[in-house]
Amino acid sequence: MDLFIDSASTHEISAWAETGLVTGVTTNPSLLAKSGRPVHEVLKEICALIDGPISAEVTASDWGTMLREAEVLRAIHDNIVIKVPLTKDGLKACYHLVRREIPVNVTLCFSAAQALMAAQAGATFISPFLGRLDDTGVSGINLVRDIAEIYQKGEYGTAILAASIRSAAHVEEAAKAGAHVATLPAKILEALYHHPLTDKGLEIFEADWKQTGQSIL
Ligand code: E4P
């Protein structure tokens, strides 16, 4: 399973690009608003930081305007993936964009039926929102499992991009449930490194090594 960063902060993205662990970026209108910067400028800088799929979301609600926005966003860089909402107009825009060989990420997916529709429309990625679904008392991980089963049986080419990830456990479970990608905020990416036994083990190694008085260098 690939790891993407869910952010519109060039500072965060640049730090994670250096690790080589992150192969793509997802943004959304809320994240771009939080950056407080002009959208075209931020997206251009993000594309220069990571050479992989960079999702940029349309903001119109009708499919005709979505297609026009998509054109402007795609002019920024070839790696831009057009993110459309899982609405009737969003899926119509998806169908027309894919026919023009433009990659599409269908976002705000909360049911397997919605994911099936997105795959039928030819989506490159489907983004089930795990954390937001969990908040309603319905398991986000079960949704990923259901989508994976449906896509496998129907032999769809749409990749499952687990979104709205809230914990390291979410990441592990999404990978086991069949997600192809998980997009994580920087703080969850950071949490993936940590385990108390790693810290404790390191403390012991350091103390034992100190006692030898040796140095490798
Ligand atoms: C994904 O594409 C979305 O930007 C994101 O994962 C939403 O996450 P949130 O529920 O934490 O806002």
Side-chain angles (χ1 to χ4, degrees):
M1 184 178 77
D2 284 337
L3 297 178
F4 288 2
I5 183 167
D6 193 33
S7 173
S9 155
T10 49
H11 178 71
E12 277 178 0
I13 295 167
S14 154
W16 280 96
E18 282 170 8
T19 68
L21 298 175
V22 162
T23 54
V25 181
T26 51
T27 65
N28 65 39
S30 305
L31 291 170
L32 285 160
K34 196 171 144 200
S35 81
R37 301 184 51 209
V39 56
H40 304 85
E41 191 180 292
V42 181
L43 290 171
K44 197 170 168 190
E45 287 178 26
I46 293 175
C47 291
L49 290 169
I50 292 197
D51 186 17
I54 312 294
S55 288
E57 192 160 341
V58 295
T59 54
S61 52
D62 69 282
W63 70 281
T65 315
M66 284 180 190
L67 292 185
R68 283 179 28 230
E69 289 181 343
E71 237 173 76
V72 174
L73 293 169
R74 281 283 297 175
I76 296 171
H77 199 284
D78 270 356
N79 282 348
I80 293 280
V81 174
I82 303 301
K83 212 173 175 190
V84 299
L86 213 155
T87 59
K88 210 168 176 179
D89 278 72
L91 291 190
K92 199 165 172 183
C94 172
Y95 170 71
H96 287 277
L97 289 167
V98 169
R99 278 177 66 192
R100 295 177 201 171
E101 298 190 351
I102 294 173
V104 178
N105 175 358
V106 178
T107 191
L108 290 167
C109 172
F110 294 95
S111 79
Q114 286 182 317
L116 177 63
M117 300 277 274
Q120 284 286 129
T124 317
F125 297 102
I126 181 70
S127 291
F129 274 40
L130 277 57
R132 293 194 201 185
L133 194 56
D134 285 353
D135 290 344
T136 69
V138 179
S139 163
I141 292 298
N142 282 348
L143 173 58
V144 173
R145 203 168 287 125
D146 288 346
I147 298 172
E149 188 181 337
I150 289 169
Y151 281 8
Q152 202 179 8
K153 287 188 174 148
E155 296 181 6
Y156 291 108
T158 303
I160 303 171
L161 195 169
S164 189
I165 297 275
R166 302 264 170 85
S167 63
H170 254 165
V171 180
E172 295 169 359
E173 292 301 318
K176 287 195 282 180
H180 302 91
V181 188
T183 188
L184 326 181
K187 68 170 188 229
I188 304 296
L189 279 167
E190 191 64 47
L192 295 187
Y193 282 118
H194 297 295
H195 194 286
L197 289 179
T198 304
D199 300 339
K200 199 173 165 195
L202 200 54
E203 260 175 46
I204 296 168
F205 288 157
E206 279 171 2
D208 290 346
W209 182 246
K210 212 171 170 187
Q211 279 184 2
T212 70
Q214 296 185 62
S215 159
I216 291 176
L217 293 177

